[in-house]
């Protein structure tokens, strides 16, 4: 699945490099939750959420990496809006990385809105994440 996602992604982009991504995003989830972001929009939920339920079951890697996650494009805008609204209330150590995530989510959401409005053949509705 990792190879399929990597080779078919329309917008491959790196978020950043983390020595311990699960730890970083776990702590970011705590910060965002404390600031009032709903649990359903926390990055750890979708970055490590596995494949959508419509996919067949595929076992995870023994050590947890590569990790695969997904977020519906309709949630990307609300997530970015929620993060932007609390950006000044979270620990400064997380702000830069959260700003990058906000930019990427906003870009994907804006592209989705434009394509679903302007292209009658466009059917993509999910962002896939690959953490290696």
């Amino acid at each position: 699945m990792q190879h399929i996602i990597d080779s078919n992604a329309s917008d491959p982009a790196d978020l950043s490099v983390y020595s311990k991504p699960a730890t970083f995003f776990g702590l970011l989830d705590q910060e965002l939750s404390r600031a009032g972001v709903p649990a359903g929009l926390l990055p750890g939920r979708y970055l490590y959420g596995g494949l959508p339920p419509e996919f067949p079951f595929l076992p995870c890697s023994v050590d947890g990496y590569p990790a695969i996650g997904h977020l519906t494009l309709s949630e990307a805008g609300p997530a970015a809006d929620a993060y932007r609204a609390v950006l000044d209330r979270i620990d400064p150590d997380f702000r830069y990385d959260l700003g990058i995530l906000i930019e990427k989510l906003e870009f994907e959401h804006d592209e989705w809105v434009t394509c679903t409005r302007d292209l009658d053949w466009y059917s993509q509705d999910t962002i896939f994440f690959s953490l290696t």
Side-chain angles (χ1 to χ4, degrees), residues 3-64:
H3 293 293
I4 292 169
I5 291 170
D6 289 348
S7 66
N8 290 297
S10 61
D11 299 315
D14 289 329
L15 181 57
S16 191
V17 175
Y18 303 95
S19 61
K20 295 181 179 180
T23 300
F24 177 83
F25 286 106
L27 293 171
L28 178 58
D29 281 358
Q30 290 175 12
E31 283 290 314
L32 291 170
S33 182
R34 258 194 302 272
V37 172
L41 295 178
L42 297 175
R45 179 191 65 86
Y46 56 82
L47 293 174
Y48 291 93
L51 296 170
E54 301 82 13
F55 279 65
F57 172 75
L58 295 172
C60 297
S61 170
V62 174
D63 67 357

Side-chain angles (χ1 to χ4, degrees), residues 68-105:
I68 295 174
H70 74 281
L71 178 67
T72 61
L73 283 162
S74 62
E75 292 177 296
D81 291 344
Y83 304 159
R84 188 173 298 286
V86 301
L87 193 56
D88 63 337
R89 296 195 320 257
I90 65 164
D91 186 317
D93 290 339
F94 293 100
R95 290 181 189 162
Y96 176 79
D97 294 281
L98 186 57
I100 292 172
L101 182 57
I102 290 168
E103 289 175 16
K104 294 193 182 300
L105 291 174

